Amino acid sequence: MKISKYKYLAAALCTANVAMAQEATTEAAASDTAKLTKQAKVALAFREVDASDALVGVSTMSYRDVIEKDYLTYPLSDLNAFVPGGASTWGGSYLTLIDGVPRDINNIKPDEIETVSFLKGANAVALYGSHASKGVLLITTKRGEEGDIRIQARANTGWHVDKAYPKYLSSAEYMVLYNEARANDGLDPLYSSADIYHYASGENPYRYPSVDFYSSEYIKKAYNRTDATAEIDGGNERARYYTNISFYNVGSHFKVGEAKKSYTNRFSVRGNVDINITDYISARVDANVTFYNQRGYNGANFWEAASTWRPNRVAPFVPTSFVSPYATDAQKQLAAASNIVDGQFLGGTQTDPSNVIADLYCAGCRKSTSRQFQFETGLDVDLSPLTEGLSFHTQFGMDFINGYTQSYSNSYKTFEPIWSSSNGEDVIVGFKDTATKDKHTGTQNLGESSSNQLYSLDARFNYDRTFDEHSIGGIAVLRGFQHRRTGEYHCESDASVGFNVHYDFAKRYFLDFTGTVAHTAKLAEGHRNAFSPSVTLGWNIAKESFLEGSALNDLMLSVSASDIANDVDIDGYTKYLGSFSETGAWWAWTDQSQQSTVSKLGSNEDLDFVRNREFSIGLRGGLLDNTYTFTVSAYLNKQNGGIISAESKMPEYMRTGYPESSFVYNINYNEDLRKGMEFSLGYNKKIGEVDFSAFVTGSLYTTEATKRDDTQYKDAYQRREGKFIDGVWGYECLGFFKDAADIANSPDQSSFGQTIKPGDLKYKDQNGDGMIDTKDQVELGRYSNPFEYGLGLTAKYSGFTLFVACDGAVGATAIKNNKLYWMSGDDKYSVEARNRWTKENANSATLPRLTTTAAQNNRQTSDFWTYKTNIFDISKVQLTYNLPSTIFEGNKVLSAAQVYVSGSDLISFSKEREYEETNVGFAPQTRFYNLGVKVTF
């Protein structure tokens, strides 16, 4: 399909909705401000229930309400201020469903969303099959409501402001320390004292450069993001419509050459129509078209080079005025050059014939394009004339995504100057040949083509009936999807058939049972189907007679147990199949030589699903007209049947040494235990003239590998069984080697391939075998946070709304292993190198000795490099002002307006804040300051 067709489709969708808006305006029975009062609903699997009837384990957010006080650029921002545990689930990899279709959350904007439900408990996700075994994120987009046409427009503009930059040594200081590194390695100095003096003096930054990649000469400290959105909706009893048209553009850090034209933009049109065909049949059609464009430059990765290129490596630009007028050959070469930038030629050397800063100017440009079309249609049939309470629902969805890259690749001539002194001044008397040429072909290159397709289908019968105080319901559903991606041989598929039965008595006692048969293509015939049961009991204690007249509005207790089949943790589609490979060895049969083939993996057609067995208990309550609200839930999840290669479970004759061959196969073996709790506390109160609310959330989480094949570990401290699943493993560091005697009297550390010298890191010999190797690794901590929390504060007064969101985390262990700390070879040095080990500061050093080698001994994961990621962030502050309604009385165009200012990722409090906020090898982290306005027509 050509791109132009997408344009026509977007235009047609918008035109159709506007035309329907005009028709509905004349037929609407109610004014555009008249809306039915709805009880809060919570979205569950294939149904909705009243919020008071929802069992614990589901969290729902109304995005219509959220974006009125919290402008978001990403749907899951600020979640810890609203949802216990945020979007995280105990195993990650949750299934995201947008209007019932598995989709990427990156292709939806917050202002398109009506609600988001987080289904974390196994009982809540069972009906969605094995792909939902780690949680489900249910997103419903906005739909039209009855009434006259309503138009809302929103515009925002803001600036991303850099938080921090890596700090590196100047050329002169680097050269001094590099000479020290060479001396540590027994090598002669590379830089003379005279050279260091000239670089330190700054007398000629072109002959003696000290390049700062983060200089304002090359990058901006702030760049703009602007977006605009228009929403149109309305309709009547027969048909409702909704359209969202949006655009955003994000700039970049670069301010020079082709790179300064870099941007990312997105244009989308989302629309839907709901039609009541008869009193018993209704239909809906949804479509979304999105156009992504990203422009950048060709050449080396700037941010990666910024972390490695020595400051004295090359002068990116040198003024042509330095070239001696008597150097005729040099003058001719410059005259023939195509890339003289602001009177400067491009610097290079024979070792580095190009430089990454010159790439920003002259290496050409590239533009990545993505076109996404999403469509779904559904039919709802009320079958109550046949059986009261019975209904049928079906939905079909399809997505098409294609992308490609256009580029112009240029090469450019660089010059390595030959400097001399004339009358006390530096002049260029010639150039060394860098073997590069100017080349601008003007040819457009097309590449990186991709094409993805997704098809989904579900069909179900729902039954809901109330007999006096007995409410009985059920769901029977058939669902599945298939997602094919470019470059993947096997498409991602999921299929299941399931049922749910739910019952309550007097909205007091609840029973919910779900059974699902999941299908997978990742296992052999005979093992591709599995049954997943889940049962939940609920008791709304507040409805009991002994609590009548109490302060309790709601007190729901629920208990659930589930056994979910999981194929998400089966990595690949051929785990059960054997595999063979050519060896490179040859054998002869008569006069013919043939290459031999050996087994690499045995077959196991009895390989089965991984099983997630979960037990959870939850309590939700509200007091004093919901002035105080709370939820608390605890869960224990045991995963059985994790897949491993059964090396130690089979006899030795199942594998051979030469030619290397193995008939060992994969088996279900590992067992994991995850347990934790989540909680939230809410407070809503009018204090004088101020409407105030506060919401605190938190989650506690721990893990244990309860069963592992640890036969390869002789010592108990190394065995993974009984340890954290998310453990960080490494060496226990005893400090620095003091001298040659210390090295001689310590265990051998040569397994790291480095000659050990004073100032290198010294590790503990855990098993006492006199050798430091992988057998001496121990558990150093966890990379997941055991405790995370959030805080949301809202205060409203006389048209003003102040919103503050905070979040924090405690307890995780991380490693300082980027190039600010792991310096080696001839890479540049950060300011951390100032406190490296030397004989003079052996007792206060925070880094090992410097070396020109790969420093593998010192770059091992160990507790020398660990730190705690404890942090508290003020992630959002927004002040919103709604203009008084009296201003718009009698106005036939505008009916409401608001303005707001906000800041995101504002302040962090952490012992390691500077390190956490500094990106190395990537674009800098930013704070975002925004100004926005919304008007309603």
Side-chain angles (χ1 to χ4, degrees):
M1 182 180 287
K2 294 182 179 179
I3 296 174
S4 60
K5 292 185 179 180
Y6 287 117
K7 296 180 179 178
Y8 294 141
L9 176 60
L13 182 62
C14 182
T15 303
N17 280 343
V18 171
M20 186 170 289
Q22 295 171 345
E23 178 184 356
T25 300
T26 61
E27 297 182 19
S31 69
D32 60 345
T33 58
K35 296 182 179 178
L36 295 175
T37 302
K38 298 181 179 179
Q39 187 175 5
K41 295 285 186 179
V42 174
L44 302 178
F46 301 106
R47 66 187 177 112
E48 286 186 339
V49 300
D50 293 337
S52 59
D53 297 337
L55 302 177
V56 182
V58 178
S59 300
T60 298
M61 289 175 57
S62 169
Y63 267 56
R64 281 188 187 266
D65 298 332
V66 169
I67 62 174
E68 289 302 303
K69 63 181 179 182
D70 183 14
Y71 164 71
L72 304 172
T73 59
Y74 176 66
L76 301 185
S77 297
D78 303 337
L79 275 189
N80 281 335
F82 301 103
V83 177
S88 62
T89 57
W90 58 259
S93 304
Y94 51 79
L95 176 66
T96 299
L97 298 173
I98 300 177
D99 291 329
V101 181
R103 285 172 173 152
D104 188 346
I105 196 171
N106 291 316
N107 195 41
I108 189 168
K109 291 172 68 262
D111 53 35
E112 301 174 59
I113 298 174
E114 182 72 42
T115 62
V116 175
S117 290
F118 302 88
L119 312 184
K120 298 185 180 183
N123 60 307
V125 305
L127 208 54
Y128 284 110
S130 61
H131 264 58
S133 58
K134 295 179 181 294
V136 176
L137 193 63
L138 290 181
I139 297 176
T140 59
T141 58
K142 293 178 180 177
R143 309 198 74 83
E145 298 183 358
E146 290 184 40
D148 291 343
I149 183 172
R150 288 173 293 272
I151 303 176
Q152 288 188 338
R154 184 188 295 267
N156 297 275
T157 189
W159 288 264
H160 288 273
V161 180
D162 293 346
K163 288 184 178 181
Y165 304 120
K167 298 176 182 178
Y168 296 103
L169 300 181
S170 66
S171 289
E173 192 172 4
Y174 164 79
M175 294 160 74
V176 170
L177 295 192
Y178 189 75
N179 279 349
E180 178 184 309
R182 289 179 62 86
N184 290 338
D185 296 334
L187 302 174
D188 294 332
L190 180 65
Y191 302 108
S192 68
S193 298
D195 286 337
I196 295 172
Y197 168 80
H198 288 304
Y199 278 92
S201 70
E203 61 194 39
N204 185 346
Y206 305 103
R207 184 174 184 178
Y208 310 106
S210 186
V211 178
D212 178 7
F213 277 75
Y214 296 91
S215 165
S216 58
E217 182 179 356
Y218 310 121
I219 66 171
K220 296 176 285 190
K221 310 304 180 183
Y223 59 91
N224 181 258
R225 183 191 193 278
T226 297
D227 69 60
T229 302
E231 298 177 86
I232 308 166
D233 84 305
N236 54 33
E237 185 178 353
R238 180 169 60 84
R240 281 81 54 205
Y241 56 89
Y242 173 82
T243 299
N244 183 299
I245 306 169
S246 67
F247 174 81
Y248 71 66
N249 186 81
V250 184
S252 79
H253 279 92
F254 301 112
K255 62 185 298 184
V256 296
E258 282 291 336
K260 72 179 178 182
K261 303 173 186 176
S262 299
Y263 62 79
T264 300
N265 63 37
R266 175 188 189 269
F267 173 75
S268 69
V269 178
R270 180 182 295 277
N272 57 64
V273 177
D274 294 283
I275 303 172
N276 294 336
I277 300 173
T278 70
D279 291 341
Y280 300 101
I281 302 175
S282 61
R284 61 191 183 278
V285 178
D286 298 46
N288 176 65
V289 179
T290 305
F291 304 85
Y292 283 100
N293 293 290
Q294 186 175 45
R295 192 185 195 280
Y297 69 96
N298 275 330
N301 184 309
F302 179 86
W303 306 110
E304 184 176 335
S307 69
T308 58
W309 273 55
R310 303 183 310 274
N312 65 329
R313 187 162 172 172
V314 64
F317 301 98
V318 181
T320 58
S321 57
F322 277 100
V323 180
S324 169
Y326 305 107
T328 55
D329 287 343
Q331 292 285 359
K332 289 179 180 179
Q333 292 181 59
L334 289 182
S338 301
N339 295 294
I340 302 298
V341 179
D342 297 329
Q344 301 177 98
F345 63 82
L346 309 182
T349 68
Q350 293 173 306
T351 304
D352 296 307
S354 62
N355 74 78
V356 68
I357 294 177
D359 285 346
L360 302 181
Y361 286 85
C362 307
C365 64
R366 59 190 289 114
K367 180 180 178 182
S368 299
T369 300
S370 174
R371 302 290 184 256
Q372 304 191 18
F373 170 64
Q374 299 175 344
F375 172 85
E376 68 258 13
T377 182
L379 184 70
D380 304 296
V381 182
D382 182 358
L383 298 176
S384 58
L386 299 176
T387 300
E388 186 175 346
L390 184 65
S391 60
F392 173 76
H393 311 269
T394 185
Q395 176 175 288
F396 171 73
M398 61 180 181
D399 294 0
F400 297 98
I401 305 172
N402 65 67
Y404 58 91
T405 298
Q406 303 164 280
S407 65
Y408 292 91
S409 298
N410 301 325
S411 61
Y412 52 85
K413 177 67 177 176
T414 59
F415 301 88
E416 181 179 3
I418 300 172
W419 292 91
S420 183
S421 295
S422 176
N423 299 322
E425 294 183 358
D426 292 332
V427 295
I428 296 172
V429 296
F431 296 115
K432 297 179 182 178
D433 185 14
T434 59
T436 57
K437 296 181 180 180
D438 288 320
K439 187 176 182 180
H440 300 263
T441 65
T443 301
Q444 184 183 73
N445 304 305
L446 294 177
E448 300 179 18
S449 177
S450 64
S451 179
N452 300 339
Q453 304 91 37
L454 181 142
Y455 301 93
S456 70
L457 176 68
D458 64 71
R460 71 185 191 275
F461 286 95
N462 284 53
Y463 178 77
D464 283 290
R465 185 84 180 272
T466 300
F467 303 91
D468 296 326
E469 293 186 300
H470 302 273
S471 296
I472 301 174
I475 303 171
V477 60
L478 172 68
R479 58 165 296 278
F481 70 84
Q482 188 173 84
H483 194 173
R484 184 175 296 279
R485 299 178 177 90
T486 299
E488 296 184 7
Y489 175 77
H490 202 297
C491 59
E492 179 186 9
S493 301
D494 184 45
S496 63
V497 57
F499 68 92
N500 168 268
V501 177
H502 45 275
Y503 165 81
D504 73 74
F505 173 74
K507 303 299 181 183
R508 190 184 310 164
Y509 308 113
F510 296 81
L511 170 65
D512 187 288
F513 180 81
T514 298
T516 302
V517 176
H519 176 80
T520 185
K522 294 182 176 181
L523 299 171
E525 294 286 351
H527 292 271
R528 292 183 172 178
N529 301 317
F531 182 64
S532 299
S534 176
V535 62
T536 304
L537 300 175
W539 179 23
N540 196 332
I541 308 172
K543 297 292 181 69
E544 296 292 349
S545 58
F546 58 80
L547 286 177
E548 286 185 5
S550 71
L552 284 170
N553 308 108
D554 182 33
L555 188 62
M556 175 68 80
L557 173 68
S558 66
V559 179
S560 73
S562 308
D563 184 358
I564 308 298
N566 162 17
D567 73 344
V568 176
D569 288 313
I570 302 176
D571 181 20
Y573 288 85
T574 58
K575 288 289 185 180
Y576 67 94
L577 289 175
S579 65
F580 296 84
S581 176
E582 293 182 343
T583 65
W586 295 80
W587 59 272
W589 188 264
T590 66
D591 59 346
Q592 297 292 323
S593 295
Q594 300 292 335
Q595 192 171 31
S596 62
T597 300
V598 297
S599 172
K600 289 298 184 181
L601 178 70
S603 296
N604 177 14
E605 295 194 356
D606 289 328
L607 202 67
D608 212 338
F609 282 85
V610 181
R611 307 292 306 200
N612 292 347
R613 297 183 171 96
E614 181 176 291
F615 174 81
S616 64
I617 182 170
L619 186 67
R620 181 191 69 239
L623 298 85
L624 300 175
D625 294 328
N626 287 325
T627 299
Y628 302 93
T629 61
F630 67 89
T631 63
V632 59
S633 61
Y635 62 88
L636 187 151
N637 186 292
K638 189 169 185 179
Q639 179 172 291
N640 296 337
I643 296 176
I644 66 168
S645 177
E647 291 284 343
S648 64
K649 303 300 177 184
M650 297 183 188
E652 286 292 330
Y653 60 73
M654 298 290 284
R655 49 194 177 275
T656 62
Y658 182 82
E660 185 179 346
S661 180
S662 175
F663 290 91
V664 173
Y665 49 79
N666 293 316
I667 62 172
N668 297 98
Y669 188 83
N670 283 355
E671 294 182 3
D672 295 336
L673 178 67
R674 296 173 172 87
K675 54 187 177 180
M677 65 171 292
E678 296 181 345
F679 66 86
S680 67
L681 300 171
Y683 174 75
N684 298 275
K685 184 73 172 179
K686 190 175 181 69
I687 305 174
E689 298 297 318
V690 178
D691 288 317
F692 178 77
S693 66
F695 199 64
V696 179
T697 69
S699 65
L700 293 163
Y701 171 70
T702 189
T703 69
E704 181 184 349
T706 53
K707 183 179 180 181
R708 287 293 187 274
D709 177 16
D710 280 333
T711 52
Q712 70 269 40
Y713 302 121
K714 177 181 178 182
D715 300 295
Y717 65 85
Q718 273 222 302
R719 295 170 189 161
R720 270 46 177 178
E721 188 168 300
K723 305 297 197 304
F724 293 122
I725 300 169
D726 49 350
V728 177
W729 288 78
Y731 298 95
E732 184 179 347
C733 185
L734 301 178
F736 304 107
F737 283 108
K738 299 176 182 178
D739 48 37
D742 189 12
I743 297 172
N745 295 325
S746 297
D748 183 3
Q749 293 190 186
S750 61
S751 64
F752 302 124
Q754 177 182 333
T755 301
I756 303 301
K757 295 191 174 184
D760 286 330
L761 295 182
K762 177 181 180 180
Y763 303 119
K764 183 177 179 179
D765 184 7
Q766 302 287 348
N767 59 2
D769 65 355
M771 171 71 71
I772 302 298
D773 54 23
T774 56
K775 299 183 183 67
D776 298 297
Q777 291 184 354
V778 296
E779 191 175 53
L780 304 177
R782 298 176 57 192
Y783 59 77
S784 300
N785 290 303
F787 178 52
E788 295 182 347
Y789 58 94
L791 172 64
L793 302 173
T794 304
K796 297 181 179 180
Y797 172 76
S798 185
F800 288 95
T801 300
L802 176 65
F803 173 72
V804 179
C806 308
D807 59 76
V810 176
T813 297
I815 308 295
K816 291 183 177 179
N817 57 1
N818 63 31
K819 292 183 182 299
L820 293 180
Y821 289 86
W822 282 14
M823 294 169 280
S824 60
D826 62 353
D827 289 349
K828 69 198 305 179
Y829 291 168
S830 76
V831 296
E832 302 296 330
R834 292 170 178 165
N835 204 30
R836 78 284 178 198
W837 183 95
T838 63
K839 292 181 180 179
E840 292 72 26
N841 73 335
N843 295 324
S844 60
T846 57
L847 261 67
R849 70 177 178 99
L850 297 177
T851 175
T852 61
T853 71
Q856 289 301 321
N857 179 83
N858 300 330
R859 296 176 65 167
Q860 299 298 312
T861 298
S862 74
D863 57 1
F864 182 87
W865 303 109
T866 60
Y867 70 97
K868 290 296 183 182
T869 61
N870 303 345
I871 195 168
F872 176 78
D873 289 322
I874 300 178
S875 53
K876 173 63 74 65
V877 175
Q878 179 168 317
L879 181 63
T880 304
Y881 178 62
N882 291 286
L883 277 65
S885 58
T886 55
I887 294 177
F888 305 100
E889 291 180 358
N891 192 317
K892 296 182 179 180
V893 180
L894 294 180
S895 60
Q898 71 173 205
V899 294
Y900 49 92
V901 292
S902 65
S904 304
D905 300 314
L906 292 175
I907 304 173
S908 296
F909 299 91
S910 171
K911 182 179 179 181
E912 299 291 344
R913 180 188 63 80
E914 185 175 355
Y915 179 81
E916 290 278 0
E917 290 186 347
T918 304
N919 280 358
V920 178
F922 303 94
Q925 299 177 41
T926 63
R927 297 179 175 88
F928 183 59
Y929 302 94
N930 183 72
L931 172 65
V933 59
K934 188 188 82 169
V935 294
T936 303
F937 297 93

